Amino acid sequence: MSSIRRYPDLYLGGKWVAPLRSDTLEAINPATEEVIGVVPEAGEDDVRRAIAAARVAFDEGPWPRSSPRERAAVLRRMAEIMRRRQDEIVALDIAEVGRARLLAESIFVEIPLEHWEDMADRVLPSYEFEQAIPPQVNDFGVGQGVVLREPYGVASIITPYNAPFFLALFKLAPALAAGCTTILKPSPNTPLSAFLLAEIAEEAGLPAGVLNVVTGSPEVGALLTSHPAVDLVSFTGSDAVGRLIMGQASPTLKKVVLELGGKSANIVCEDADLDKVIPSVLMAITVTCGQGCANLTRTLVHESLHDELVARLKIALDQVTMGDPADPAVTMGPLISAAQRRRVEDLIRVGVDEGAQIVHGGGRPAHLDKGFFLEPTVFVDVDNTMAIAQREFFGPVNVVIPFRTDDEAVRLANQSDYGLAGGVWSGDPVRAYRIGARLRTGMVSLNGGSPGLTPHAPFGGYKSSGIGREWGKWGLEEFLQHKAMLWPMATG
Ligand code: NAD
């Protein structure tokens, strides 16, 4: 993408509206360091306007009172427009995030679109928004009733930089399906796809105020999560900001749904097939340059396979092609920014100081003089209590730790503040299942299964990896209130 996308206005109350301040944000292609887009940087007064628009649309507008069938029809129209603009969305994901083309196409654009369509075509039409309560008999007589599932209210939706289109869809699909009204705030690093979604909502005829798009700093985020007119916050990002948001939301007792970070373990038993394991470890390091919350970043391997796994992983990493992902031959792009690269490099230095050993990578690739690239990096001689085994790199770094027994593998896997994902590899599927069932984490991949990629399974974490679930009917339920209505059939 060579031309610069310019959005001079914010999308508020169904209109493109000039911001109240003149500051702008530049979206930078992290592979080329070129400006690819300019958007307004919203201030707190802009955010107050967005919240007011969402509040009016919720309290007085048609959307929360529309039928599931009507909402499904609008979601379907939005899906059709997204399909029509799919190539453009893929190009934006590559340029905005620095993601390799194959991943942008097959996972980060296609999968959320399939989820969106699934919400419109399957989940929404079949969901029981009114569920009968069976007749009850007690000393007062006989009664019955109904449980109404109602939209939760005004929802602030805040996303991180690593999957701006993907994560916006995972939150907006259930929020809109439920009948909520929303304010979407993307990361300042990757604001462009949110504006594209506003264009799509406008063309599809989503009623005014149901989707509002703002941008901006942590102050703007703080207002979105503390303002009394907001009922619910759906946030994906770091656990540090997740903790702040719980505090910011607490005086007004908002519901918070938090999808946070991870340090997920990939357990490789001595009977595992390394031909299949190696690509999974490679993916954990290279997908979005390691900037994925559910990447399996701690490899726990049976001591008998440790040396072979490390040797084969090094060979596989030598085949990785780093560069500008606009080139389809590139398999690993850059980190999002100079600041993020510094953070990852600082933690790599901590690992070296702790006594761990780098067996691959560790530095910047010499052949790339532009872009925020970092070599895929592997540590051995790692103790699970070290900072590099406990803290999230959010970069292309993996630690390899040996274990002797299944019990030890489970103990090491669970010895983490996080609990988002996990993997188990064994030639015995029952053994893999038993180990997986003992992991304190929201999702487990057995011998390469991808639980995180189907709308028929929930997505979310235990412990510091978050609160609540996304995707499919689980995601929808987070945006609903349950109201019990009961009436007498006969009194005693
Ligand atoms: P971040 O937490 O720094 O920022 C996320 C968003 O929160 C941004 O839009 C930011 O502007 C906003 N924000 C910052 N301070 C705020 C505040 N005080 N109140 C409200 N909003 C505020 O995250 P990031 O650096 O953009 O993304 C990386 C992190 O996201 C990693 O920790 C990663 O694990 C996590 N992540 C989690 C998932 C998941 O589903 N579990 C998915 C992707 C990324």
Side-chain angles (χ1 to χ4, degrees):
M1 256 190 6
S2 50
S3 61
I4 298 181
R5 266 176 195 272
R6 290 182 195 278
Y7 290 99
D9 297 326
L10 298 165
Y11 190 64
L12 308 178
K15 294 193 180 68
W16 294 95
V17 177
L20 295 172
R21 46 187 272 178
S22 57
D23 303 62
T24 55
L25 280 172
E26 288 184 341
I28 307 287
N29 179 327
T32 62
E33 302 185 37
E34 283 165 9
V35 176
I36 55 164
V38 182
V39 299
E41 178 168 11
E44 289 175 276
D45 286 338
D46 291 312
V47 172
R48 285 192 190 93
R49 292 199 294 175
I51 294 172
R55 189 75 252 171
V56 169
F58 190 80
D59 293 342
E60 298 164 23
W63 191 251
R65 282 154 280 280
S66 61
S67 68
R69 182 192 287 267
E70 288 166 326
R71 294 200 291 276
V74 177
L75 290 188
R76 175 55 30 222
R77 279 204 295 281
M78 287 182 73
E80 283 158 13
I81 300 166
M82 288 189 268
R83 286 286 179 202
R84 195 186 77 219
R85 297 182 68 175
Q86 190 163 352
D87 290 347
E88 181 190 352
I89 297 169
V90 167
L92 184 58
D93 198 58
I94 294 169
E96 200 176 24
V97 184
R99 201 175 339 263
R101 171 168 287 280
L102 185 64
L103 291 169
E105 280 175 352
S106 63
I107 298 184
F108 288 91
V109 175
E110 180 59 30
I111 298 284
L113 269 170
E114 285 175 10
H115 279 233
W116 186 282
E117 289 164 343
D118 183 68
M119 183 61 77
D121 298 341
R122 181 184 63 88
V123 180
L124 194 43
S126 64
Y127 195 79
E128 285 191 302
F129 284 89
E130 292 159 11
Q131 197 174 36
I133 300 172
Q136 303 289 313
V137 184
N138 60 26
D139 290 347
F140 304 106
V142 183
Q144 68 178 37
V146 69
V147 176
L148 296 184
R149 266 88 176 225
E150 299 186 329
Y152 205 95
V154 172
S156 288
I157 292 182
I158 302 178
T159 55
Y161 70 76
N162 62 317
F165 177 77
F166 182 94
L167 291 169
L169 260 60
F170 281 127
K171 293 178 182 305
L172 284 176
L176 300 185
C180 290
T181 61
T182 62
I183 308 111
L184 170 64
K185 192 200 92 60
S187 160
N189 290 114
T190 52
L192 296 174
S193 42
F195 285 82
L196 196 133
L197 279 170
E199 288 175 350
I200 289 164
E202 185 181 35
E203 186 184 338
L206 187 71
V210 177
L211 169 66
N212 304 275
V213 173
V214 298
T215 52
S217 62
E219 289 72 45
V220 158
L223 185 57
L224 280 171
T225 53
S226 60
H227 195 289
V230 171
D231 300 300
L232 179 154
V233 177
S234 175
F235 168 78
T236 295
S238 60
D239 58 298
V241 174
R243 285 169 221 280
L244 288 177
I245 286 177
M246 277 195 90
Q248 290 157 189
S250 77
T252 48
L253 285 173
K254 298 184 200 317
K255 176 170 181 179
V256 291
V257 179
L258 305 175
E259 301 290 347
L260 310 175
K263 191 77 182 178
S264 301
N266 200 8
I267 297 175
V268 185
C269 298
E270 73 279 11
D271 57 356
D273 179 353
L274 280 190
D275 287 347
K276 296 195 174 125
V277 172
I278 297 296
S280 119
V281 183
L282 187 77
M283 291 276 283
I285 299 171
T286 58
V287 168
T288 318
C289 196
Q291 300 163 111
C293 53
N295 289 24
L296 305 176
T297 51
R298 275 188 303 152
T299 303
L300 307 181
V301 56
H302 191 269
E303 59 181 0
S304 63
L305 283 187
H306 177 275
D307 291 354
E308 187 185 349
L309 179 140
V310 171
R312 290 178 63 175
L313 183 57
K314 282 161 63 178
I315 294 168
L317 287 171
D318 284 339
Q319 314 302 314
V320 170
T321 309
M322 253 181 295
D324 181 352
D327 174 355
V330 162
T331 53
M332 187 174 117
L335 290 161
I336 194 69
S337 61
Q340 180 61 12
R341 181 166 61 179
R342 265 196 308 280
R343 271 196 291 274
V344 177
E345 288 173 331
D346 287 349
L347 191 49
I348 288 176
R349 268 191 290 279
V350 169
V352 173
D353 292 345
E354 283 177 314
Q357 197 199 332
I358 295 176
V359 290
H360 192 280
R364 299 180 182 185
H367 68 288
L368 295 166
D369 56 352
K370 278 260 186 272
F372 311 118
F373 292 94
L374 195 63
E375 291 171 328
T377 300
V378 179
F379 275 104
V380 297
D381 294 338
V382 179
D383 182 280
N384 197 52
T385 58
M386 288 178 177
I388 54 167
Q390 291 295 319
R391 279 167 50 194
E392 193 181 34
F393 275 96
F394 226 56
V397 186
N398 206 284
V399 297
V400 183
I401 302 173
F403 68 83
R404 278 175 294 279
T405 64
D406 290 1
D407 283 349
E408 187 186 8
V410 169
R411 184 181 62 73
L412 291 171
N414 288 337
Q415 188 185 49
S416 169
D417 287 342
Y418 295 110
L420 188 56
V424 188
W425 296 88
S426 167
D428 174 357
V430 175
R431 179 184 180 191
Y433 182 91
R434 289 209 171 107
I435 293 173
R438 294 171 66 192
L439 301 182
R440 296 212 60 226
T441 155
M443 300 168 283
V444 182
S445 157
L446 303 178
N447 287 324
S450 302
L453 295 180
T454 164
H456 298 276
F459 185 103
Y462 286 22
K463 302 192 276 183
S464 295
S465 289
I467 298 171
R469 290 294 178 269
E470 294 194 316
W471 300 17
K473 72 179 169 73
W474 295 272
L476 180 58
E477 276 159 20
E478 298 288 1
F479 287 93
L480 293 167
Q481 288 274 26
H482 295 75
K483 178 188 284 179
M485 304 232 285
L486 297 148
W487 55 86
M489 292 166 71
T491 45

